[in-house]
Amino acid sequence: MIKILSARKILTMNPQKPHATHVAIRDGLILGAGSLEELKGWGDYELDTQFADKVLMPGLVEGHCHLQEGALWSHTYVGFFDRMSPEGDMQAGCKNLDAVLSKLAAAEAKLDDPDAPLPGWSLDPIYFDNQRVDRAQLDTISTTRPIGIMHASGHIMNVNSKALELAGLLKPGINHEGVPLGPDGLPTGELKGPDVMSPVSIHVGFDRDMLACDEQGMWRFGKLCVRAGVTTATDLAARLPEEAVTLMHKVTGNTAYPARIVPLRFHHGVSPEDLIKHVEALAPQSTEKLRLGRIKIVVDGSIQGFSARLRAPGYYNGAPNGLWYIAPEQLAYILETSLAKGIQVHCHTNGDEATQLVIDTMRKALRKTPSTDHRFTLQHCQLADTAQFRQIRELGLCVNLFANHHHYWGDQHYDLTVGPERAERMNAAGTAARLGVPFGIHSDAPITPLGPLFTGWCAMNRKTASGRTLGEAEKITLDQALYAITLGAAYTLHLDGEVGSIEAGKRADFAVLEDDPEEMGVERLKDTRVWGTVLGGKPFAAADV
């Protein structure tokens, strides 16, 4: 049966017909968008007026986030900013380190099991004059139960003595750049990078896989998608063992699940050869709502965590350079082999030195295996300069820029991490647009909250938390921002033929809005109210999730 939805306005993102009042759908696909008179020709139809006073646009595409955003809400939130839970409750932020420790102590007092771990998430020491959190501070909460707090960046964890002891790390003689040592020769409790975080994470409540998500977490993530208008979302760093894939099939296969999920296989913890084999085996298991068969490589760490790899002049405050998360020869093997086998690769590069390594390695790989439409994507790519963007364009790479950084850490980047000049160019969406580099913008949830309309506002205004404008020349227009959170993000996933615009033949995925983004404009896009979503023709109201 054909159903025609009416709306106050439809933003199609289709340049041939940018606006419409009606959209016809059948069997989860779009037959066309236009006026009711234009769509009647499809035959007998049912007119659905439930959105007659709403604005429809394509279901928003979050090209870099993690299902972990859903699972983490089972733990104690200790982030700096107030944050909304999947159920719509606002959690107050912790404005100083004492508040963090107090909140953890309160959570610890509620635990009945004396051996149960105490996990917390979204710690952000850079807001506390960059104070380091050590095991002695966490030991004041408990010396008998393991405690672990994941940083907001996701690249650092702080743990207490008990957690280090359980992982066999509370001992002298450890020589690893990701394990700082105190005056006593023992680890301070700060762990940098997945290879040192993983052995401890299993003892502090991140016991499945710190990058994975359980069933309840997947459903809670789905609620967040509906609240944000998102219908297609990535899980951009998953190990994807058989049991996790089985779970993802189960959840996404449920007609009540409101999102399409695109998980990428993380390179860490497996040989490059086995990584390729695993991804090849995963690809045929894809379904309409679960897309498998892509690779995620993390090349360096985080800028605000001082673990990203920067070219000269390095960190503004004189901190030592960050960490490499992959050996150059392994990066080369993965890129070359993936090009040859038609596997798409996304590379996390925060620092410009990490970006240059991927550029140089990709250039050599393409000489061996030319490809005209690989769409390998640089994720974050925060510090790339104009010369690097020209190279990115020439190599056919895409970028997915972390626009939310301007709001959450822009002041810290300006004053502490990279200094004024480089802070002004961070996440250079304006340069990408001028040079014709395909780009999306993202939240990296749970690093920052899921919300593409807010991300679009960040990319257009580049306002820091204090109100400073950070990089006037890198602002983008409203049209460019809306494109980046729909077709732009879809393009980086090779899904622009299915989602990202409202036009004939694409999936009937819509963001349903109370306000018109074109009327809200550059200044107010972040305040656009979301009614919910439509996925494959099925509506999901935020009020009901």
Side-chain angles (χ1 to χ4, degrees):
M1 178 67 179
I2 295 170
K3 181 181 289 188
I4 296 180
L5 302 177
S6 65
R8 172 160 56 101
K9 184 178 184 179
I10 300 175
L11 304 178
T12 68
M13 303 307 298
N14 174 8
Q16 282 78 35
K17 187 184 285 289
H19 298 105
T21 57
H22 294 75
V23 57
I25 61 178
R26 182 177 62 199
D27 299 329
L29 296 178
I30 297 169
L31 298 176
S35 67
L36 180 60
E37 193 63 32
E38 289 173 316
L39 299 176
K40 284 180 178 179
W42 283 102
D44 294 340
Y45 65 91
E46 171 192 343
L47 181 62
D48 188 332
T49 60
Q50 66 175 313
F51 303 133
D53 62 341
K54 313 296 184 194
V55 174
L56 301 183
M57 65 179 294
L60 306 182
V61 181
E62 177 51 87
H64 188 145
C65 62
H66 305 271
L67 291 177
Q68 185 188 34
E69 164 80 342
L72 284 177
W73 283 100
S74 298
H75 305 329
T76 302
Y77 174 68
V78 293
F80 181 81
F81 292 91
D82 296 351
R83 188 155 177 165
M84 184 176 291
S85 76
E87 288 70 39
D89 303 319
M90 189 62 71
Q91 289 268 347
C94 297
K95 301 306 181 184
N96 53 57
L97 188 53
D98 287 341
V100 171
L101 297 174
S102 176
K103 191 168 186 180
L104 287 168
E108 196 275 337
K110 296 177 182 178
L111 295 175
D112 295 326
D113 182 351
D115 298 319
L118 176 62
W121 63 285
S122 205
L123 177 68
D124 214 345
I126 203 167
Y127 275 104
F128 311 144
D129 295 324
N130 208 35
Q131 296 178 66
R132 312 322 293 169
V133 179
D134 60 34
R135 58 186 171 86
Q137 291 167 300
L138 297 181
D139 286 348
T140 64
I141 299 170
S142 177
T143 58
T144 58
R145 76 168 75 251
I147 300 173
I149 319 173
M150 189 184 299
H151 279 217
S153 69
H155 289 268
I156 301 173
M157 182 181 289
N158 290 95
V159 299
N160 69 344
S161 297
K162 186 63 176 181
L164 289 170
E165 176 190 325
L166 291 172
L169 293 176
L170 192 60
K171 61 184 180 182
I174 294 176
N175 182 18
H176 191 291
E177 57 185 347
V179 185
L181 303 179
D184 58 1
L186 298 175
T188 64
E190 185 170 82
L191 306 172
K192 302 179 180 182
D195 54 337
V196 294
M197 291 163 63
S198 295
V200 185
S201 66
I202 59 173
H203 299 291
V204 295
F206 301 104
D207 51 352
R208 294 171 304 280
D209 172 336
M210 61 182 293
L211 299 173
C213 186
D214 59 12
E215 184 168 359
Q216 180 191 28
M218 278 196 73
W219 281 101
R220 297 185 87 180
F221 180 82
K223 292 180 180 182
L224 289 166
C225 287
V226 173
R227 294 186 182 282
V230 170
T231 54
T232 299
T234 55
D235 185 17
L236 214 77
R239 298 186 193 278
L240 297 175
E242 183 178 352
E243 58 271 22
V245 175
T246 299
L247 171 64
M248 289 179 176
H249 275 127
K250 175 186 175 183
V251 174
T252 59
N254 191 316
T255 57
Y257 194 71
R260 306 184 194 281
I261 304 298
V262 186
L264 275 68
R265 186 17 169 129
F266 183 36
H267 86 274
H268 184 73
V270 64
S271 72
E273 295 80 6
D274 288 342
L275 173 70
I276 298 292
K277 290 177 183 177
H278 188 199
V279 171
E280 285 185 297
L282 287 170
Q285 300 179 50
S286 294
T287 66
E288 179 186 324
K289 289 169 65 177
L290 183 67
R291 300 305 176 87
L292 301 159
R294 296 168 177 82
I295 289 173
K296 165 73 175 295
I297 300 172
V298 180
V299 180
D300 67 340
S302 92
I303 298 170
Q304 72 271 26
F306 299 96
S307 57
R309 292 292 305 190
L310 273 57
R311 297 186 299 184
Y315 283 102
Y316 191 52
N317 69 343
N321 210 346
L323 306 176
W324 291 113
Y325 284 7
I326 188 170
E329 58 271 18
Q330 291 181 329
L331 175 65
Y333 177 88
I334 295 170
L335 294 182
E336 292 172 10
T337 309
S338 296
L339 280 171
K341 292 179 175 288
I343 298 170
Q344 192 189 28
V345 179
H346 288 233
C347 292
H348 158 123
T349 66
N350 265 317
D352 48 3
E353 186 177 33
T355 292
Q356 194 62 49
L357 176 64
V358 176
I359 287 172
D360 294 342
T361 308
M362 191 69 182
R363 181 178 291 111
K364 295 175 182 176
L366 283 168
R367 287 172 182 158
K368 294 182 179 180
T369 308
S371 175
T372 58
D373 192 30
H374 55 79
R375 303 190 204 179
F376 283 21
T377 299
L378 294 170
Q379 293 286 347
H380 304 326
C381 196
Q382 292 205 76
L383 281 180
D385 62 16
T386 302
Q388 288 181 318
F389 271 102
R390 292 192 189 100
Q391 297 174 75
I392 288 166
R393 177 193 62 198
E394 292 162 3
L395 295 172
L397 290 160
C398 307
V399 296
N400 193 6
L401 302 169
F402 200 169
N404 286 14
H405 250 262
H406 308 307
H407 176 74
Y408 287 99
W409 293 288
D411 290 319
Q412 286 66 37
H413 292 318
Y414 189 97
D415 295 331
L416 186 66
T417 66
V418 298
E421 181 179 337
R422 285 176 296 170
E424 296 274 346
R425 79 163 189 239
M426 287 183 75
N427 300 295
T431 295
R434 286 189 291 273
L435 293 179
V437 175
F439 73 95
I441 51 179
H442 66 269
S443 70
D444 197 10
I447 310 308
T448 69
L450 185 73
L453 293 167
F454 175 78
T455 300
W457 176 86
C458 288
M460 292 186 297
N461 292 280
R462 298 179 66 92
K463 292 283 188 186
T464 70
S466 70
R468 173 191 281 134
T469 297
L470 201 60
E472 187 74 31
E474 295 302 340
K475 290 180 177 180
I476 59 175
T477 66
L478 178 63
D479 286 346
Q480 289 169 332
L482 295 179
Y483 184 91
I485 60 177
T486 53
L487 277 171
Y491 183 88
T492 67
L493 298 170
H494 274 289
L495 292 177
D496 53 309
E498 295 185 51
V499 299
S501 62
I502 299 175
E503 55 184 304
K506 290 198 172 183
R507 301 194 180 278
D509 296 356
F510 314 127
V512 184
L513 310 176
E514 301 282 4
D515 305 301
D516 179 357
E518 293 184 326
E519 292 179 2
M520 298 299 280
V522 170
E523 295 296 328
R524 296 192 297 146
L525 183 66
K526 66 180 176 63
D527 301 318
T528 303
R529 295 169 296 162
V530 178
W531 176 90
T533 59
V534 174
L535 186 78
K538 180 180 175 64
F540 295 89
D544 297 336
V545 300

